[in-house]
């Protein structure tokens, strides 16, 4: 898996890069806002299954299951918030 924050890419640009260089990977993205921000998570579908996903402007959480494994795991790609209050609000949102 690859986690990228601050993509600064439009949905169209991400799709173009995927089709050109990353075709064997699947991805989910959180759209950038005014050329700042943006979250992108890529994974190899021959190794991982995605069972569920949830996103906000500042996070992309996924329930994953390695293929051939009975266990599931939750991962989160979080976009860095600067103030303690913002960080706590994100944690409360993601894990409540």
């Amino acid at each position: 898996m690859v986690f990228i924050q601050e993509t600064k890419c439009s949905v169209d640009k991400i799709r173009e890069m995927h089709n050109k260089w990353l075709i064997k990977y699947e991805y989910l993205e959180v759209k950038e806002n005014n050329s700042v921000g943006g979250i992108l998570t890529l994974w190899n579908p021959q190794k991982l299954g995605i069972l569920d996903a949830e996103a906000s402007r500042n996070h992309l959480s996924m329930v994953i299951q390695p293929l051939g494994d009975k266990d599931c795991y939750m991962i989160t790609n979080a976009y860095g918030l600067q103030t303690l209050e913002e960080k706590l609000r994100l944690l409360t949102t993601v894990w409540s």
Side-chain angles (χ1 to χ4, degrees):
M1 293 197 86
V2 177
F3 299 157
I4 301 172
Q5 298 89 25
E6 281 284 338
T7 62
K8 297 183 181 179
C9 291
S10 67
V11 173
D12 291 337
K13 184 66 174 176
I14 290 172
R15 189 176 302 116
E16 177 187 329
M17 288 186 298
H18 175 260
N19 291 337
K20 189 170 186 175
W21 295 300
L22 303 167
I23 197 73
K24 72 177 187 176
Y25 298 97
E26 291 187 13
Y27 70 94
L28 288 174
E29 88 274 351
V30 175
K31 186 180 160 200
E32 55 85 23
N33 185 18
N34 297 327
S35 75
V36 297
I39 301 171
L40 178 66
T41 302
L42 297 126
W43 68 92
N44 183 337
Q46 295 178 347
K47 297 186 184 232
L48 285 176
I50 306 302
L51 304 178
D52 196 12
E54 178 181 307
S56 75
R57 182 173 178 253
N58 298 103
H59 86 284
L60 177 54
S61 293
M62 303 162 77
V63 177
I64 65 170
Q65 184 175 33
L67 297 184
D69 193 338
K70 63 180 167 82
D71 295 323
C72 298
Y73 306 92
M74 181 178 170
I75 58 161
T76 298
N77 185 354
Y79 175 67
L81 299 162
Q82 300 305 311
T83 69
L84 179 58
E85 180 181 288
E86 291 173 313
K87 291 176 186 180
L88 291 173
R89 186 173 54 242
L90 175 62
L91 291 173
T92 301
T93 301
V94 172
W95 288 290
S96 61

